[in-house]
């Protein structure tokens, strides 16, 4: 019996069953976030209850500065609640998918912390994938349509 782990062990895959878009930041690799996925994510952000931030609307429109401000405020809260963390990190994911280096760095950092805290190989793989995406730069033309 071969004890060598499969090279994709721990690697997140494209979900087979529907996964809520606001949880994609935890499970989907950069290469999965094509234009259609970006549009679906943006629609989910706009349809979600707004976070208590004057920057929330701009964050949903893929403004990296606004998204980072919202996410930092959520991450700085004493108790991190999924109903606030998922939308905030989804705004970061949208900007990261569009190639913003600061959002890619923040996403990789949060995933790396999640991997260490939970011994989660999938989160570790995602953090490394986003770090590679940051070095590679955006490899496709992407855009977010208005609503």
């Amino acid at each position: 019996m071969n004890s060598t782990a499969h090279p994709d062990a721990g690697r997140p895959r494209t979900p087979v069953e529907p996964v809520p878009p606001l949880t994609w930041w935890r499970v989907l690799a950069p290469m999965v976030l094509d234009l259609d996925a970006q549009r679906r994510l943006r629609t989910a952000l706009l349809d979600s209850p707004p976070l208590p931030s004057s920057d929330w609307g701009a964050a949903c429109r893929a403004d990296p500065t606004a998204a980072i401000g919202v996410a930092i405020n959520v991450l700085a809260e004493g108790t991190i609640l999924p109903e606030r963390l998922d939308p905030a990190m989804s705004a970061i994911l949208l900007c990261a998918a569009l190639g913003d280096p600061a959002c890619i760095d923040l996403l990789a950092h949060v995933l790396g912390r999640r991997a260490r805290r939970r011994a989660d190989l999938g989160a570790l793989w995602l953090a490394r994938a986003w770090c590679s995406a940051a070095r590679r730069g955006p490899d496709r033309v992407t855009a977010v349509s208005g609503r």
Side-chain angles (χ1 to χ4, degrees):
M1 184 165 140
N2 186 353
S3 63
T4 306
H6 188 277
D8 289 339
R11 179 179 293 191
R13 297 178 222 8
T14 304
V16 175
E17 69 271 354
V19 173
L22 296 184
T23 63
W24 287 355
W25 71 272
R26 298 185 253 147
V27 295
L28 295 184
M31 63 285 280
V32 176
L33 294 160
D34 60 11
L35 187 56
D36 182 55
Q38 293 169 34
R39 287 184 180 138
R40 287 180 56 206
L41 180 58
R42 183 166 186 267
T43 298
L45 282 167
L46 291 169
D47 290 344
S48 70
L51 293 179
S53 170
S54 60
D55 289 334
W56 179 242
C60 290
R61 291 187 303 273
D63 178 319
T65 303
I68 289 170
V70 169
I72 294 294
N73 286 336
V74 168
L75 291 166
E77 293 174 352
T79 302
I80 296 179
L81 305 171
E83 62 269 15
R84 293 169 62 96
L85 180 64
D86 284 341
M89 290 307 298
S90 293
I92 293 294
L93 176 63
L94 181 59
C95 295
L98 292 170
D100 183 77
C103 288
I104 290 171
D105 287 347
L106 181 57
L107 182 58
H109 172 76
V110 171
L111 287 166
R113 287 183 54 109
R114 182 180 185 88
R116 286 188 300 277
R117 193 173 60 249
R118 297 178 181 210
D120 183 341
L121 288 178
L124 179 61
W125 185 90
L126 277 177
R128 289 183 176 169
W130 279 106
C131 287
S132 294
R135 285 192 302 274
R136 188 175 61 244
D139 56 357
R140 61 191 178 278
V141 175
T142 56
V144 179
S145 63
R147 181 176 186 199

